Amino acid sequence: MSTNSIVVKDLRKTYKVPEREAGLKAAIKSLVARKTKDVHAVDGISFQIEPGEIVGFLGPNGAGKTTTLKMLSGLLYPTSGELSVAGHVPQKREREFLQQITLVMGQRSQLNWDIPAIDSYDLYRAIYGIPQEQFTQARDEMIEVMQLKELVKKPVRNLSLGERMKAEMVGALLHQPGVLFLDEPTIGLDVTMQRRIRAFIQEYNQRYKATVLLTSHYMADVQALCKRVIVIHHGKLLFDGDLTALVERFSAQKTLVLTMSDMNGRTPDMAKYGTVVTQEPNRVVLRVNKSDAPQVTARLLADLPVTDLTVDDPPIEEVIESVFDAPETSE
Amino acid sequence: MQRVQGFAQRVKASLQVYAVGARIAMLERLQYPLASLMFMVNVLIEPIIYLVVWSSATAAQGGAVGGYTAGQFAGYYIIWTFVRQFNLAVGPDSFNWRIKNGSLAGELLRPIHPIDIDLGWNLGFKVMQVVYWIPIGVILWLMFKPEVNPQGWQLLSFPIVLMLAAYVRFFVMWLVGLICFWTERIDSLIELYFAAELLFSGRLVPLEIMPVWAQKIAGYLPFQWTFYFPIELLLGRVTMSEFWMGVLAQVAWILAAYVGIRLVWVRAVRRFTAVGA
């Protein structure tokens, strides 16, 4: 029996892209001698995901995340490298492999827009050969969890973006896949919808021990679901490890939030302690180098009537930005 | 033994997909009754123009043109309208938008060949079109008083020939559509395909009226087996030997197109997975 692990070794995908100068002369010239250039969408990444793990797959636009997900789901043939998903080679697109995976793309709909989602679910039942009883139970449970009871009876085109995404998630998981590739599943959704989708993914993962590889630009998704993150940029792997280790490694600064007792109208010069982010009469937010944080904290406590002081890491979005700005070194 | 069981299970699964796909197509058609009606009007304008033109021509010629009386022309084009509903197929350009809007990627993620989903959907679509056709067919019948004189065996074999005609057209058009995997600019090619179909299928005029050279070309193409042959059969103008030859030709074209799809599809998917959506 195959497990739901994902193994990626030195994976590469290179596209040949036509290239020519602007203008009529260049257009005519390109008819005779067509120039192409190689674009390395994925450039030698390796990682392994154990069964049941939820891993955040992060990177800016064009980093190679979707290309990687498409290769993992068998939609793209790798230029080189080795892939194994649930014991199968994805590019062979074997029936058994396709039964075990799902790929949800937040910006693309798989449901038929003209009919209610509940009718599309019936087609999925036939396609995946799900026994009727098992199908009805799984469908009704998921509809219940996603609070879609009335909505699945409406044509999909009449649903809001969030409602449609919930219906898409149910459709994508009806065959109870062991490996989930989720590409921006919460894109464009309001906070409540995002939270519901997250809860659904978490519950599915716990219940079926499914392996999840998730891309999202919303760090709230990543923080809520992923203990581990893989960061890629320009097709290369920049980081693979715990989210906390990512913050520890790439966050060069700490945020100090001070609350002070009444200063009798006196405004202390806070700039000498670090970079002032905000300053109110009794509350100051400072940004200091991580290595200086202990000394600065001690000085603040000695110099000022501090009633409360907290030391935090910067927001995860800022940390991720600093990862993208860091020199490219794979590990 | 296990292989046979697997095959049987696959056939059962495919039949289930056809049934559900057909039901979904019917639901879709019911969802947009006005669009279905407009589609029907669009499909019917063409034969009605031919019918009016040829009725006038036969009257001017003293009662018959190329061996067809006005009543036979009426019969030809009224049956045409029915055959047309039945041989509606998935257009070759459908692959273009399926590739562009990403729905093909979704279909490739499923453990079933996309043609199975298309077959089911197309079946449901036809059923609804035929239902919509019935009142219009009755009106045309009453208006133009067609001469249709099939013998018993011709009447009984018509549904089989009609089904085969539908599958010839479906599989050939599916095969042509696979060109979209190599080039997005197939509009001109599709226009050429439909122009050839118009000329050599008996869609524009009965093939018997066409010049001999055109009839010879038609003999090498699949089109006449999708329109002319079933229409002529129901008109009662096909002999027994012509019938068997026609059925053989239909089966041969279905097999050829099916084998073509099997061969080209593997390469098409390989190309799609090499360059992506």
Side-chain angles (χ1 to χ4, degrees):
Chain A
M1 191 183 150
S2 59
T3 62
N4 294 328
S5 62
I6 298 170
V7 182
V8 176
K9 281 184 194 162
D10 198 22
L11 182 67
R12 290 168 200 276
K13 180 69 191 178
T14 304
Y15 294 109
K16 279 211 181 302
V17 180
E19 191 184 42
R20 71 166 173 84
E21 301 290 321
L24 187 64
K25 196 178 158 191
I28 294 166
K29 203 175 155 191
S30 74
L31 289 174
V32 187
R34 199 173 182 190
K35 270 191 193 170
T36 58
K37 74 167 181 181
D38 287 346
V39 173
H40 304 291
V42 175
D43 198 3
I45 63 171
S46 301
F47 58 83
Q48 183 161 346
I49 300 175
E50 298 305 323
E53 261 193 288
I54 304 185
V55 176
F57 196 39
L58 310 179
N61 291 332
K65 304 183 298 289
T66 303
T67 301
T68 305
L69 290 190
K70 283 183 174 178
M71 285 192 278
L72 287 169
S73 55
L75 280 179
L76 269 181
Y77 207 97
T79 305
S80 67
E82 283 176 40
L83 281 178
S84 170
V85 175
H88 295 269
V89 177
Q91 59 266 36
K92 287 186 179 171
R93 304 186 59 256
E94 293 159 322
R95 193 177 288 253
E96 293 73 22
F97 165 71
L98 296 171
Q99 294 265 17
Q100 289 180 54
I101 66 149
T102 199
L103 169 65
V104 176
M105 300 178 101
Q107 287 161 314
R108 281 187 183 171
S109 174
Q110 293 301 325
L111 292 169
N112 186 326
W113 277 63
D114 297 325
I115 57 170
I118 197 140
D119 289 314
S120 286
Y121 297 161
D122 212 27
L123 182 63
Y124 297 165
R125 177 191 60 76
I127 288 172
Y128 288 97
I130 311 167
Q132 184 66 52
E133 203 177 316
Q134 185 188 325
F135 164 77
T136 310
Q137 193 188 342
R139 181 197 64 190
D140 293 350
E141 276 177 17
M142 288 184 195
I143 286 173
E144 183 76 33
V145 171
M146 284 291 210
Q147 299 178 352
L148 281 168
K149 204 167 182 181
E150 293 307 314
L151 298 172
V152 289
K153 295 173 193 164
K154 286 185 187 175
V156 171
R157 67 187 145 80
N158 291 345
L159 301 180
S160 71
L161 179 65
E163 291 166 346
R164 182 179 63 73
M165 196 57 222
K166 289 198 296 181
E168 291 278 353
M169 286 296 291
V170 171
L173 300 179
L174 277 172
H175 62 289
Q176 297 176 2
V179 180
L180 279 55
F181 300 115
L182 308 177
D183 192 10
E184 305 278 359
T186 56
I187 195 160
L189 307 189
D190 65 39
V191 178
T192 314
M193 285 293 182
Q194 286 179 27
R195 211 173 286 146
R196 192 151 291 153
I197 298 268
R198 268 180 231 140
F200 185 69
I201 295 166
Q202 200 152 37
E203 194 180 321
Y204 185 89
N205 161 262
Q206 284 166 2
R207 186 163 177 188
Y208 297 101
K209 307 289 172 234
T211 310
V212 183
L213 187 57
L214 164 93
T215 80
S216 181
H217 285 295
Y218 299 129
M219 286 308 125
D221 287 349
V222 179
Q223 284 176 301
L225 292 169
C226 313
K227 191 169 167 289
R228 175 184 164 196
V229 291
I230 293 171
V231 183
I232 65 166
H233 192 23
H234 296 311
K236 290 183 190 295
L237 196 140
L238 293 186
F239 179 84
D240 180 358
D242 281 0
L243 189 59
T244 47
L246 175 84
V247 175
E248 190 62 35
R249 183 172 151 189
F250 285 93
S251 163
Q253 295 190 311
K254 291 273 184 187
T255 303
L256 308 184
V257 183
L258 292 101
T259 310
M260 291 169 283
S261 57
D262 193 8
M263 303 277 290
N264 298 322
R266 196 162 53 88
T267 309
D269 176 18
M270 299 303 292
K272 64 183 180 184
Y273 299 102
T275 309
V276 181
V277 181
T278 57
Q279 183 163 10
E280 294 160 29
N282 293 327
R283 189 175 178 275
V284 183
V285 178
L286 287 174
R287 188 68 51 85
V288 298
N289 286 334
K290 195 158 65 177
S291 54
D292 298 338
Q295 294 95 314
V296 173
T297 308
R299 278 171 54 208
L300 286 166
L301 290 169
D303 297 350
L304 301 166
V306 177
T307 54
D308 190 27
L309 186 147
T310 60
V311 183
D312 292 322
D313 287 311
I316 188 75
E317 284 82 358
E318 283 182 26
V319 179
I320 295 290
E321 259 177 55
S322 65
V323 178
F324 300 152
D325 293 339
E328 288 174 14
T329 48
S330 25
E331 55 175 49
Chain B
M1 189 66 187
Q2 203 178 349
R3 197 174 163 185
V4 174
Q5 196 183 16
F7 177 74
Q9 279 174 344
R10 277 188 195 185
V11 170
K12 193 181 162 198
S14 292
L15 290 176
Q16 273 198 357
V17 171
Y18 299 155
V20 179
R23 193 170 62 83
I24 283 178
M26 287 192 243
L27 289 170
E28 267 182 49
R29 300 309 285 169
L30 288 169
Q31 195 77 39
Y32 299 105
L34 190 62
S36 299
L37 187 70
M38 293 314 291
F39 182 80
M40 176 65 73
V41 169
N42 190 33
V43 166
L44 290 176
I45 284 173
E46 185 187 337
I48 290 171
I49 291 170
Y50 303 151
L51 183 51
V52 171
V53 168
W54 286 106
S55 297
S56 311
T58 47
Q61 291 286 317
V65 173
Y68 287 83
T69 62
Q72 282 176 320
F73 269 121
Y76 188 94
Y77 286 110
I78 291 170
I79 298 169
W80 187 113
T81 61
F82 180 70
V83 171
R84 181 76 184 99
Q85 307 313 314
F86 222 85
N87 69 16
L88 284 164
V90 176
D93 56 338
S94 81
F95 282 104
N96 245 348
W97 56 259
R98 283 154 95 163
I99 291 169
K100 280 180 191 162
N101 73 11
S103 60
L104 183 78
E107 288 172 37
L108 290 177
L109 285 168
R110 292 174 189 155
I112 193 165
H113 199 297
I115 201 168
D116 284 327
I117 297 169
D118 281 3
L119 276 166
W121 185 87
N122 187 247
L123 183 68
F125 188 87
K126 284 180 211 298
V127 170
M128 289 312 291
Q129 284 303 118
V130 169
V131 170
Y132 286 127
W133 173 88
I134 291 169
I136 296 166
V138 170
I139 293 169
L140 289 174
W141 199 275
L142 294 172
M143 273 176 68
F144 291 96
K145 298 181 177 52
E147 278 174 43
V148 179
N149 302 305
Q151 294 174 34
W153 69 269
Q154 289 167 326
L155 199 60
L156 287 173
S157 57
F158 177 72
I160 298 163
V161 165
L162 187 63
M163 192 186 72
L164 290 171
Y167 284 116
V168 170
R169 197 161 187 266
F170 179 92
F171 283 113
V172 170
M173 276 172 59
W174 221 84
L175 180 61
V176 172
L178 294 183
I179 296 169
C180 295
F181 283 82
W182 281 268
T183 174
E184 291 172 15
R185 314 283 170 138
I186 71 157
D187 296 357
S188 313
L189 192 80
I190 290 172
E191 277 178 31
L192 189 70
Y193 175 88
F194 282 120
E197 185 186 73
L198 190 68
L199 278 176
F200 301 114
S201 66
R203 184 170 165 170
L204 186 63
V205 289
L207 280 181
E208 220 172 297
I209 297 175
M210 297 283 280
V212 177
W213 62 265
Q215 291 183 36
K216 278 188 180 166
I217 293 173
Y220 295 103
L221 298 169
F223 307 125
Q224 63 170 308
W225 312 113
T226 63
F227 278 91
Y228 182 65
F229 179 52
I231 298 171
E232 286 282 288
L233 179 71
L234 198 60
L235 273 178
R237 293 166 58 94
V238 171
T239 64
M240 185 62 87
S241 60
E242 285 170 340
F243 166 76
W244 284 114
M245 206 201 79
V247 170
L248 269 178
Q250 285 184 315
V251 172
W253 274 109
I254 289 171
L255 287 176
Y258 179 74
V259 170
I261 288 167
R262 292 287 297 238
L263 293 174
V264 180
W265 176 250
V266 176
R267 285 160 184 79
V269 171
R270 202 175 296 154
R271 183 173 166 82
F272 181 78
T273 57
V275 296

